[in-house]
Tab-separated table of all heavy atoms in Angstrom:
chain	number	residue	atom	x	y	z
Q	386	VAL	N	23.205	-14.083	7.550
Q	386	VAL	CA	22.337	-13.152	6.861
Q	386	VAL	C	23.128	-11.897	6.449
Q	386	VAL	O	23.957	-11.416	7.156
Q	386	VAL	CB	21.199	-12.699	7.795
Q	386	VAL	CG1	20.251	-11.703	7.103
Q	386	VAL	CG2	20.416	-13.920	8.338
Q	387	VAL	N	22.853	-11.482	5.204
Q	387	VAL	CA	23.362	-10.193	4.721
Q	387	VAL	C	22.175	-9.339	4.306
Q	387	VAL	O	21.371	-9.767	3.484
Q	387	VAL	CB	24.320	-10.395	3.508
Q	387	VAL	CG1	24.765	-9.032	2.970
Q	387	VAL	CG2	25.547	-11.213	3.913
Q	388	GLU	N	22.115	-8.105	4.847
Q	388	GLU	CA	21.032	-7.198	4.486
Q	388	GLU	C	21.655	-6.117	3.618
Q	388	GLU	O	22.656	-5.488	4.054
Q	388	GLU	CB	20.364	-6.604	5.703
Q	388	GLU	CG	19.244	-5.696	5.301
Q	388	GLU	CD	18.403	-5.132	6.482
Q	388	GLU	OE1	18.706	-5.550	7.638
Q	388	GLU	OE2	17.521	-4.320	6.205
Q	389	LEU	N	21.009	-5.829	2.460
Q	389	LEU	CA	21.505	-4.782	1.584
Q	389	LEU	C	20.665	-3.522	1.849
Q	389	LEU	O	19.462	-3.555	1.951
Q	389	LEU	CB	21.288	-5.221	0.132
Q	389	LEU	CG	21.913	-6.527	-0.276
Q	389	LEU	CD1	21.548	-6.857	-1.733
Q	389	LEU	CD2	23.426	-6.523	-0.084
Q	390	GLY	N	21.343	-2.368	1.865
Q	390	GLY	CA	20.689	-1.080	2.040
Q	390	GLY	C	19.738	-1.060	3.219
Q	390	GLY	O	18.598	-0.679	3.089
Q	391	GLY	N	20.246	-1.420	4.344
Q	391	GLY	CA	19.382	-1.562	5.551
Q	391	GLY	C	18.858	-0.301	6.192
Q	391	GLY	O	18.054	-0.377	7.059
Q	392	GLY	N	19.307	0.867	5.713
Q	392	GLY	CA	18.800	2.145	6.249
Q	392	GLY	C	19.034	2.260	7.689
Q	392	GLY	O	20.123	2.062	8.242
Q	393	LEU	N	17.993	2.570	8.403
Q	393	LEU	CA	18.080	2.770	9.887
Q	393	LEU	C	17.682	1.506	10.681
Q	393	LEU	O	17.543	1.579	11.904
Q	393	LEU	CB	17.175	3.915	10.331
Q	393	LEU	CG	17.826	5.305	9.935
Q	393	LEU	CD1	16.714	6.356	9.922
Q	393	LEU	CD2	18.903	5.734	10.873
Q	394	GLY	N	17.526	0.384	9.998
Q	394	GLY	CA	17.414	-0.898	10.702
Q	394	GLY	C	16.012	-1.383	10.937
Q	394	GLY	O	15.861	-2.410	11.676
Q	395	SER	N	14.988	-0.765	10.406
Q	395	SER	CA	13.614	-1.194	10.732
Q	395	SER	C	13.331	-2.649	10.193
Q	395	SER	O	12.614	-3.414	10.823
Q	395	SER	CB	12.566	-0.216	10.269
Q	395	SER	OG	12.578	-0.074	8.858
Q	396	ALA	N	13.820	-2.958	8.982
Q	396	ALA	CA	13.622	-4.331	8.446
Q	396	ALA	C	14.370	-5.363	9.291
Q	396	ALA	O	13.813	-6.433	9.601
Q	396	ALA	CB	14.104	-4.383	7.013
Q	397	ALA	N	15.599	-4.994	9.706
Q	397	ALA	CA	16.346	-5.925	10.606
Q	397	ALA	C	15.580	-6.120	11.902
Q	397	ALA	O	15.526	-7.239	12.411
Q	397	ALA	CB	17.701	-5.343	10.856
Q	398	GLU	N	14.992	-5.078	12.441
Q	398	GLU	CA	14.229	-5.213	13.694
Q	398	GLU	C	13.084	-6.248	13.534
Q	398	GLU	O	12.891	-7.073	14.404
Q	398	GLU	CB	13.634	-3.884	14.085
Q	398	GLU	CG	14.541	-2.890	14.748
Q	398	GLU	CD	13.787	-1.646	15.212
Q	398	GLU	OE1	13.094	-1.090	14.341
Q	398	GLU	OE2	13.969	-1.248	16.342
Q	399	ALA	N	12.358	-6.076	12.453
Q	399	ALA	CA	11.213	-6.989	12.223
Q	399	ALA	C	11.708	-8.423	12.077
Q	399	ALA	O	11.062	-9.363	12.553
Q	399	ALA	CB	10.400	-6.516	11.025
Q	400	LEU	N	12.747	-8.617	11.292
Q	400	LEU	CA	13.278	-9.952	11.046
Q	400	LEU	C	13.785	-10.580	12.362
Q	400	LEU	O	13.470	-11.748	12.656
Q	400	LEU	CB	14.420	-9.898	9.989
Q	400	LEU	CG	14.982	-11.272	9.611
Q	400	LEU	CD1	15.374	-11.244	8.133
Q	400	LEU	CD2	16.237	-11.590	10.440
Q	401	LEU	N	14.608	-9.809	13.087
Q	401	LEU	CA	15.188	-10.383	14.312
Q	401	LEU	C	14.207	-10.615	15.440
Q	401	LEU	O	14.448	-11.462	16.253
Q	401	LEU	CB	16.305	-9.419	14.820
Q	401	LEU	CG	17.496	-9.377	13.818
Q	401	LEU	CD1	18.453	-8.263	14.180
Q	401	LEU	CD2	18.250	-10.742	13.820
Q	402	ALA	N	13.086	-9.892	15.391
Q	402	ALA	CA	12.013	-10.173	16.383
Q	402	ALA	C	11.501	-11.618	16.196
Q	402	ALA	O	11.017	-12.191	17.164
Q	402	ALA	CB	10.880	-9.180	16.211
Q	403	ARG	N	11.631	-12.156	15.011
Q	403	ARG	CA	11.227	-13.542	14.734
Q	403	ARG	C	12.404	-14.528	14.788
Q	403	ARG	O	12.215	-15.683	15.186
Q	403	ARG	CB	10.609	-13.654	13.335
Q	403	ARG	CG	9.293	-12.903	13.193
Q	403	ARG	CD	8.737	-13.135	11.786
Q	403	ARG	NE	7.490	-12.489	11.543
Q	403	ARG	CZ	6.340	-13.014	11.163
Q	403	ARG	NH1	6.288	-14.287	11.011
Q	403	ARG	NH2	5.282	-12.256	10.900
Q	404	LEU	N	13.554	-14.131	14.342
Q	404	LEU	CA	14.648	-15.058	14.026
Q	404	LEU	C	15.891	-14.897	14.885
Q	404	LEU	O	16.839	-15.640	14.630
Q	404	LEU	CB	14.978	-14.972	12.543
Q	404	LEU	CG	13.967	-15.349	11.569
Q	404	LEU	CD1	14.490	-15.223	10.127
Q	404	LEU	CD2	13.446	-16.783	11.757
Q	405	ALA	N	15.963	-14.008	15.801
Q	405	ALA	CA	17.189	-13.728	16.538
Q	405	ALA	C	17.894	-14.952	17.076
Q	405	ALA	O	19.131	-15.141	16.916
Q	405	ALA	CB	16.945	-12.711	17.651
Q	406	PRO	N	17.191	-15.916	17.679
Q	406	PRO	CA	17.884	-17.150	18.206
Q	406	PRO	C	18.486	-17.995	17.104
Q	406	PRO	O	19.348	-18.832	17.436
Q	406	PRO	CB	16.750	-17.842	18.940
Q	406	PRO	CG	15.725	-16.868	19.227
Q	406	PRO	CD	15.751	-15.899	18.055
Q	407	GLN	N	18.058	-17.816	15.859
Q	407	GLN	CA	18.548	-18.673	14.772
Q	407	GLN	C	19.782	-18.040	14.043
Q	407	GLN	O	20.348	-18.694	13.131
Q	407	GLN	CB	17.429	-18.930	13.762
Q	407	GLN	CG	16.293	-19.714	14.275
Q	407	GLN	CD	15.130	-19.798	13.309
Q	407	GLN	OE1	13.988	-19.392	13.588
Q	407	GLN	NE2	15.410	-20.303	12.114
Q	408	ILE	N	20.158	-16.850	14.411
Q	408	ILE	CA	21.147	-16.105	13.636
Q	408	ILE	C	22.565	-16.497	14.123
Q	408	ILE	O	22.905	-16.402	15.297
Q	408	ILE	CB	20.941	-14.625	13.774
Q	408	ILE	CG1	19.572	-14.195	13.292
Q	408	ILE	CG2	22.035	-13.856	13.000
Q	408	ILE	CD1	19.258	-14.501	11.856
Side-chain angles (χ1 to χ4, degrees):
V386 181
V387 176
E388 183 175 356
L389 305 178
L393 286 160
S395 62
E398 280 184 311
L400 182 148
L401 292 169
R403 293 182 183 238
L404 296 180
Q407 297 173 236
I408 302 299

